């Protein structure tokens, strides 16, 4: 009985002990909860303060970056394709622009409505370079899109206010022809075949363009049935240096006189001499090539094509897989070239071989082609081929000199001249005619006032809707 009692008492004590502990545990729980809540509240408070501090810092950063970000957004979201030059302008380009020209220039770029007419000029006004030039600079500096830098030449100009391009008519370096027999007999060679004043003018032009009316080669045979065929020794290419030649046109009816292999020799010789060319190639793609010059912050495109021959087919037209010239009897292919040039440059110049030989009045066929070229976006048209001067005109503000004729071609006495294209700082384009005379295998710049005025008066008489002052500057009567 005692043992049972003892066990029972022990059990009761244990139960009572356990029961006595319970109230104590219940009394401690609220204290622990209050402590945890306080700690959680403190942490939350600290987190909120940290978040608020970070937001303040972020807001401060945003306020510092806002002008640049705003400029980026304005350009990328609201810049028209015309304003952006149809280039894939992105943040990488704008980063380069910012590094190159600074924050103020970037911000000023968006001062005006980016969709307004001539909005693209903002790039030039602020940097001295158009968007076409800036894009090339960006590609060059970043080492990207290298194909866009092909056939591009960067020129140093004599004046920052004006870019001067001189165009000369037909040259003939053909072996056995009168010009070369005369040259070879002169003590000073080519320098006795042109006046010093004329050579000085040509060499001083920022860009000098001539028509290469022959082929450079020792190969090939004369085209059967063709009355006149012209081929020069490849060494004659060095003569181009005397004129300060920057580019030649091969779009004519004599560059193919000795067949395809001689034409290809011509291309290789010019390439080896570092002389760019337009208007012919190893295939159609190459014949349609556009050459670009960067001058005074603007991108100038030079293109060329030949309408000749019209009634025969001695001179082959380039095809997808054969060499020849770019023809424009039907203007479609050349119009494509002009449109491409217009999309990728600031100024497009067409140098066209066309017209009827020995006719000083330009024909309806030339006017029709000129209409197509102007509609496609050309800015200047200079013509050749007729062996004589043809007049000048304007179409929708585009200056046209229909033919320069012969420049140094034979012994005949005839009036000739240089066509001078003047691109002003504001992008406006002017035309000037510098009278020259070819006589006894020598071409001279006319400096005598009486003789100069005689030629200018003659040019006015065969022109339409233009005035020509005593210095040869041509004006469009429709806008004067």
């Amino acid at each position: 009985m005692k043992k049972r009692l003892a066990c029972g008492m022990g059990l009761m004590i244990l139960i009572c002990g356990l029961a006595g502990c319970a109230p104590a545990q219940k009394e401690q729980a609220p204290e622990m909860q209050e402590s945890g809540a306080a700690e959680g509240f403190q942490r939350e408070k600290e987190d909120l303060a940290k978040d608020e501090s970070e937001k303040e810092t972020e807001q401060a950063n945003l306020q510092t970056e806002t002008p640049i970000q705003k400029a980026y957004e304005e350009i990328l979201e609201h810049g028209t394709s015309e304003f952006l030059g149809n280039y894939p302008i992105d943040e990488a380009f704008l980063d380069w622009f910012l590094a190159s020209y600074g924050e103020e220039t970037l911000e000023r770029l968006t001062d005006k409505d980016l969709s307004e007419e001539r909005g693209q000029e903002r790039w030039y006004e602020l940097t001295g370079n158009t968007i076409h030039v800036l894009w090339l600079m960006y590609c060059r500096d970043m080492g990207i899109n290298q194909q866009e830098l092909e056939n591009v030449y960067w020129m140093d100009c004599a004046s920052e206010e004006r870019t001067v391009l001189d165009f000369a008519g037909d040259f003939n370096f053909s072996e056995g022809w009168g010009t070369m027999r005369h040259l070879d007999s002169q003590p000073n060679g080519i320098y006795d075949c042109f006046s010093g004043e004329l050579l000085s003018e040509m060499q001083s032009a920022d860009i000098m363009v001539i028509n290469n009316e022959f082929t450079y080669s020792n190969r090939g045979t004369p085209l059967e049935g063709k009355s006149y065929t012209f081929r020069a020794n490849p060494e004659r290419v060095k003569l181009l240096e005397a004129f300060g030649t920057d580019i030649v046109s091969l779009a004519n009816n004599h560059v193919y006189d000795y067949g395809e292999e001689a034409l290809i020799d011509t291309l290789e010789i010019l390439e080896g001499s570092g002389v760019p060319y337009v208007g012919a190639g190893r295939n159609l793609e190459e014949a349609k090539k556009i050459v670009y010059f960067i001058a005074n912050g603007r991108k100038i495109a030079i293109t060329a094509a030949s309408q000749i021959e019209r009634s025969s087919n001695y001179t082959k037209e380039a095809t997808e897989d054969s060499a020849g010239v770019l023809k424009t009897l039907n203007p479609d292919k050349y119009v494509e070239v002009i449109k491409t040039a217009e999309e990728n440059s600031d100024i497009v110049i067409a140098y066209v071989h066309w017209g009827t030989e020995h006719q000083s009045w330009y024909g309806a066929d030339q006017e029709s082609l000129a209409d197509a070229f102007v509609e496609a976006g050309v800015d200047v048209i200079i013509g050749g081929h007729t062996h004589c001067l043809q007049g000048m005109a304007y179409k929708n503000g585009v200056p046209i000199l229909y033919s320069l004729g012969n420049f140094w071609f034979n012994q005949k006495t005839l009036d000739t001249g240089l066509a001078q294209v003047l691109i002003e700082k504001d992008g406006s384009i002017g035309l000037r005619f510098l009278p020259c005379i070819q006589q006894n295998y020598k071409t001279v710049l006319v400096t005598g006032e009486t003789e100069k005025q005689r030629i200018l008066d003659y040019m006015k008489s065969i022109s339409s809707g233009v005035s020509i002052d005593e210095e040869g500057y041509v004006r469009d009567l429709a806008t004067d």
Side-chain angles (χ1 to χ4, degrees):
M1 290 293 292
K2 289 183 178 179
K3 289 182 180 179
R4 291 178 180 170
L5 180 62
C7 291
M9 289 296 292
L11 180 61
M12 290 178 62
I13 292 170
L14 176 61
I15 293 172
C16 289
L18 291 174
C21 291
Q25 289 176 349
K26 288 181 180 180
E27 289 174 3
Q28 290 174 1
E31 295 176 1
M32 292 177 64
Q33 290 175 353
E34 289 176 5
S35 174
E39 291 176 3
F41 177 76
Q42 182 64 30
R43 283 196 300 270
E44 184 177 348
K45 184 176 179 181
E46 290 174 357
D47 289 342
L48 287 172
K50 182 178 180 182
D51 290 345
E52 189 65 29
S53 176
E54 290 176 351
K55 286 180 180 179
E56 289 177 0
T57 303
E58 184 178 347
Q59 187 64 31
N61 291 335
L62 286 174
Q63 289 176 352
T64 302
E65 297 171 358
T66 293
I68 296 175
Q69 287 184 330
K70 183 178 179 181
Y72 274 44
E73 180 181 346
E74 183 71 15
I75 293 168
L76 297 178
E77 295 187 11
H78 303 290
T80 63
S81 58
E82 180 184 0
F83 176 76
L84 300 176
N86 293 305
Y87 296 110
I89 301 300
D90 56 13
E91 288 191 9
F93 174 86
L94 294 179
D95 288 342
W96 170 85
F97 185 88
L98 178 63
S100 300
Y101 295 100
E103 293 182 21
E104 182 180 354
T105 302
L106 177 67
E107 292 171 24
R108 289 181 62 195
L109 192 61
T110 60
D111 285 349
K112 296 182 180 179
D113 184 356
L114 303 187
S115 64
E116 69 179 8
E117 187 175 358
R118 288 181 62 81
Q120 199 178 95
E121 278 295 299
R122 290 291 289 159
W123 300 98
Y124 184 83
E125 292 168 1
L126 295 173
T127 69
N129 295 295
T130 67
I131 184 60
H132 295 294
V133 177
L134 290 169
W135 177 255
L136 291 179
M137 294 169 63
Y138 166 65
C139 293
R140 182 187 62 187
D141 291 352
M142 303 304 291
I144 61 174
N145 303 325
Q146 294 300 292
Q147 72 280 0
E148 303 215 20
L149 299 172
E150 295 175 0
N151 304 315
V152 175
Y153 299 84
W154 303 75
M155 310 301 287
D156 292 323
C157 297
S159 169
E160 294 181 356
E161 301 301 314
R162 168 185 282 181
T163 301
V164 178
L165 297 88
D166 281 355
F167 291 77
D170 298 353
F171 278 75
N172 194 337
F173 294 171
S174 181
E175 304 305 323
W177 193 247
T179 50
M180 300 313 293
R181 292 199 305 270
H182 177 77
L183 180 149
D184 289 338
S185 69
Q186 300 304 300
N188 298 306
I190 193 72
Y191 296 97
D192 288 333
C193 300
F194 296 84
S195 67
E197 295 88 349
L198 180 54
L199 289 176
S200 178
E201 167 57 41
M202 297 171 76
Q203 291 167 355
S204 67
D206 298 315
I207 302 171
M208 182 69 226
V209 189
I210 73 168
N211 177 40
N212 199 110
E213 188 85 355
F214 53 90
T215 188
Y216 293 104
S217 182
N218 289 320
R219 299 194 301 159
T221 56
L223 296 180
E224 185 177 352
K226 192 169 186 180
S227 300
Y228 297 99
T229 54
F230 302 131
R231 181 179 63 176
N233 187 300
E235 291 295 318
R236 302 292 193 182
V237 74
K238 297 176 182 177
L239 297 174
L240 297 176
E241 297 176 5
F243 314 115
T245 307
D246 294 297
I247 182 172
V248 301
S249 171
L250 300 179
N252 58 63
N253 58 307
H254 286 290
V255 75
Y256 200 86
D257 280 355
Y258 280 72
E260 182 171 339
E261 60 183 359
L263 171 59
I264 292 174
D265 285 347
T266 301
L267 307 180
E268 292 177 351
I269 288 160
L270 289 169
E271 289 163 355
S273 300
V275 179
Y277 59 84
V278 286
R282 297 169 181 84
N283 49 52
L284 180 59
E285 180 181 0
E286 195 171 279
K288 294 168 70 175
K289 178 180 66 179
I290 304 164
V291 170
Y292 299 99
F293 290 95
I294 309 303
N296 280 331
R298 296 188 185 275
K299 187 178 180 184
I300 304 166
I302 305 291
T303 69
S306 176
Q307 181 205 33
I308 311 302
E309 297 98 3
R310 293 172 295 184
S311 58
S312 59
N313 195 29
Y314 291 113
T315 303
K316 297 299 183 184
E317 180 176 12
T319 68
E320 297 296 335
D321 56 6
S322 65
V325 304
L326 178 61
K327 288 198 173 182
T328 188
L329 184 58
N330 178 317
D332 291 352
K333 291 187 179 70
Y334 192 39
V335 162
E336 290 177 8
V337 173
I338 292 172
K339 287 181 177 180
T340 299
E342 194 273 336
E343 291 172 359
N344 292 281
S345 66
D346 302 295
I347 295 158
V348 183
I349 300 178
Y351 195 15
V352 190
H353 212 65
W354 59 359
T356 302
E357 292 184 359
H358 310 296
Q359 294 294 316
S360 57
W361 291 98
Y362 48 89
D365 57 332
Q366 291 169 275
E367 289 193 87
S368 178
L369 287 173
D371 286 336
F373 303 157
V374 170
E375 184 178 351
V378 79
D379 295 293
V380 181
I381 300 173
I382 304 295
H385 169 66
T386 58
H387 298 299
C388 64
L389 291 171
Q390 288 187 331
M392 295 175 281
Y394 278 79
K395 284 184 178 290
N396 296 333
V398 174
I400 305 168
L401 197 158
Y402 277 96
S403 184
L404 288 166
N406 291 342
F407 191 71
W408 189 63
F409 206 81
N410 52 37
Q411 84 285 6
K412 294 180 181 179
T413 299
L414 54 81
D415 297 336
T416 183
L418 291 173
Q420 193 171 79
V421 175
L422 307 167
I423 303 171
E424 306 296 343
K425 192 176 183 67
D426 64 2
S428 61
I429 301 171
L431 179 64
R432 186 185 184 195
F433 180 76
L434 301 179
C436 299
I437 292 178
Q438 174 197 268
Q439 184 177 23
N440 294 326
Y441 300 117
K442 184 171 184 175
T443 303
V444 302
L445 181 68
V446 176
T447 56
E449 293 302 320
T450 301
E451 193 71 346
K452 181 165 70 173
Q453 193 60 51
R454 176 190 67 78
I455 298 173
L456 292 175
D457 288 343
Y458 172 70
M459 286 297 288
K460 185 177 179 181
S461 73
I462 59 174
S463 298
S464 176
V466 304
S467 65
I468 309 173
D469 69 15
E470 65 275 5
E471 294 301 320
Y473 291 98
V474 184
R475 299 286 185 269
D476 183 1
L477 292 179
T479 58
D480 274 1

